Amino acid sequence: MAPHHVLPLIFMISIQISINNAALDAAYYDQTCPQAEKIIAETVLNASSHDPKVPARILRMFFHDCFIRGCDASILLDSTPSNKAEKDGPPNISVRAFYVIDDAKAKIEQICPHTVSCADILAIAARDVVTVSGGPHWSVLKGKKDGRISKANETSQLPSPQFNTTQLIQSFAKRGLTIKDLVALSGGHTLGFSHCSSFQARLHNFSSTTSVDPTINTDFANILKSVCPQHNHNVNAGQFLDSTASRFDNNYYKQVLMGKGVFASDQALVSDGRTRQIVESFARDEELFFREFVASMVKLGNVRGWDDNGEVRLRCRSVN
């Protein structure tokens, strides 16, 4: 983990956004549950101190939630005998740390019963894992409701680590997100780790003419091949997505500019003129990256959900 004495850059966003006829507001719980954010921050900090992988896992959880039905905490719902839920869809099998959200929710329910949605808890926790890792802090717009629908087959809508830039741009555009949002949010991989299965195709039998993806730095490819041999039997083997994986910084962009992007989708950002200049600007200027990441996280956090009959769940794993 990054040292906790690092002072984060603070960005205050006080706008209100109308979604599903309800205003989202940074001060939404100020009267009804003023302790909520403190409880979530303490829960995140405690979990992160015991498991350094928690920040990356919570941030990924938030992305995967918002990209399916909007940020409605549908990823938190457990499967039932009659329904296979998002968390059991193929891209989400490796999503972990649900217990952190459960823990924060249980503590909040003791103080402010049936008040704070799981969707808001997840959004606040995603902000807090960035901050505790040395990244920026911002005001999360709150007042989202929890969805009642979660389907594993809808996880096919998530961007693939094999996507090219055009596919990425189209996927983000469907959520109202721009090319700049795509590049900024990809910077969340600064905290990431991937198992071999998500990038191994780049290392062995890549095409009929070359065994290794030619966009990978040669020395880096050799490192990845040593970690992920062609007949890999270690299901836990993998690679951090940048060289400072416990710290939220702009190192991810420097890595991809050197040909050290782990995913094909990471490296594709450098190969396309629509995205390369943004990558270069974020690699040069960390504060610029922080500002744009915050703006894009706020936009992502307000992607409209499909379920107009949302609720405040009593437990994040099941509908009321």
Side-chain angles (χ1 to χ4, degrees):
M1 286 302 299
H4 299 140
H5 63 264
V6 174
L7 291 175
L9 214 58
I10 301 199
F11 302 105
M12 300 303 294
I13 297 185
S14 58
I15 56 175
Q16 291 186 341
I17 296 181
S18 178
I19 296 199
N20 287 355
N21 300 317
L24 298 185
D25 186 0
Y28 189 84
Y29 297 115
D30 282 7
Q31 301 303 317
T32 56
C33 194
Q35 312 97 314
E37 293 209 39
K38 182 173 184 288
I39 291 170
I40 297 166
E42 290 174 348
T43 303
V44 164
L45 180 59
N46 182 58
S48 301
S49 64
H50 285 92
D51 181 0
K53 294 180 181 177
V54 162
R57 288 170 169 172
I58 296 293
L59 193 56
R60 182 170 179 239
M61 189 188 300
F62 177 70
F63 287 156
H64 283 215
D65 181 48
C66 295
F67 257 77
I68 305 300
R69 291 181 162 266
C71 307
D72 66 348
S74 52
I75 195 173
L76 304 180
L77 289 171
D78 284 342
S79 293
T80 66
S82 61
N83 180 65
K84 189 175 180 181
E86 284 174 35
K87 65 168 57 170
D88 292 320
N92 287 338
I93 294 297
S94 58
V95 175
R96 300 281 187 270
F98 293 106
Y99 71 90
V100 180
I101 308 301
D102 291 337
D103 189 19
K105 175 65 169 173
K107 292 173 182 174
I108 289 172
E109 282 297 311
Q110 291 179 348
I111 299 171
C112 320
H114 205 197
T115 301
V116 182
S117 70
C118 299
D120 282 336
I121 292 173
L122 179 54
I124 294 166
R127 184 271 315 274
D128 289 345
V129 297
V130 169
T131 304
V132 81
S133 302
H137 188 279
W138 64 94
S139 293
V140 174
L141 299 178
K142 297 172 282 288
K144 291 184 286 291
K145 299 302 181 188
D146 298 324
R148 299 175 56 84
I149 300 169
S150 182
K151 297 183 180 297
N153 60 6
E154 292 180 352
T155 59
S156 62
Q157 300 170 29
L158 289 167
S160 163
Q162 282 81 44
F163 270 9
N164 61 38
T165 309
T166 296
Q167 291 170 309
L168 289 170
I169 290 171
Q170 291 172 345
S171 177
F172 276 65
K174 288 177 182 176
R175 281 90 185 164
L177 300 169
T178 66
I179 294 176
K180 185 181 285 186
D181 295 323
L182 158 63
V183 180
L185 292 172
S186 295
H189 285 167
T190 183
L191 296 178
F193 174 89
S194 173
H195 293 105
C196 294
S197 57
S198 293
F199 59 87
Q200 196 154 349
R202 303 182 71 202
L203 307 176
H204 310 284
N205 302 319
F206 177 71
S207 71
S208 59
T209 57
T210 178
S211 62
V212 178
D213 183 344
T215 65
I216 304 180
N217 174 286
T218 303
D219 292 337
F220 188 59
N222 289 333
I223 292 171
L224 294 181
K225 288 168 76 172
S226 69
V227 174
C228 305
Q230 186 164 9
H231 302 291
N232 176 44
H233 300 295
N234 181 359
V235 295
N236 295 316
Q239 176 70 24
F240 289 107
L241 302 186
D242 89 0
S243 59
T244 57
S246 64
R247 180 171 176 78
F248 193 94
D249 55 21
N250 66 339
N251 186 259
Y252 160 84
Y253 299 104
K254 298 173 183 178
Q255 294 281 110
V256 296
L257 286 170
M258 292 188 292
K260 296 181 179 181
V262 176
F263 295 150
S265 57
D266 291 329
Q267 203 56 54
L269 298 178
V270 174
S271 306
D272 193 299
R274 292 171 292 181
T275 50
R276 183 182 177 97
Q277 286 187 332
I278 306 173
V279 171
E280 290 173 338
S281 66
F282 291 166
R284 284 193 304 268
D285 188 341
E286 186 171 78
E287 288 195 12
L288 173 64
F289 161 52
F290 281 9
R291 286 196 301 274
E292 296 295 349
F293 181 81
V294 166
S296 296
M297 281 290 281
V298 172
K299 282 181 69 176
L300 176 64
N302 295 303
V303 171
R304 187 184 187 279
W306 296 354
D307 188 356
D308 290 329
N309 299 310
E311 62 185 8
V312 175
R313 289 180 212 145
L314 299 178
R315 292 177 64 252
C316 293
R317 291 175 176 267
S318 59
V319 298
N320 293 341

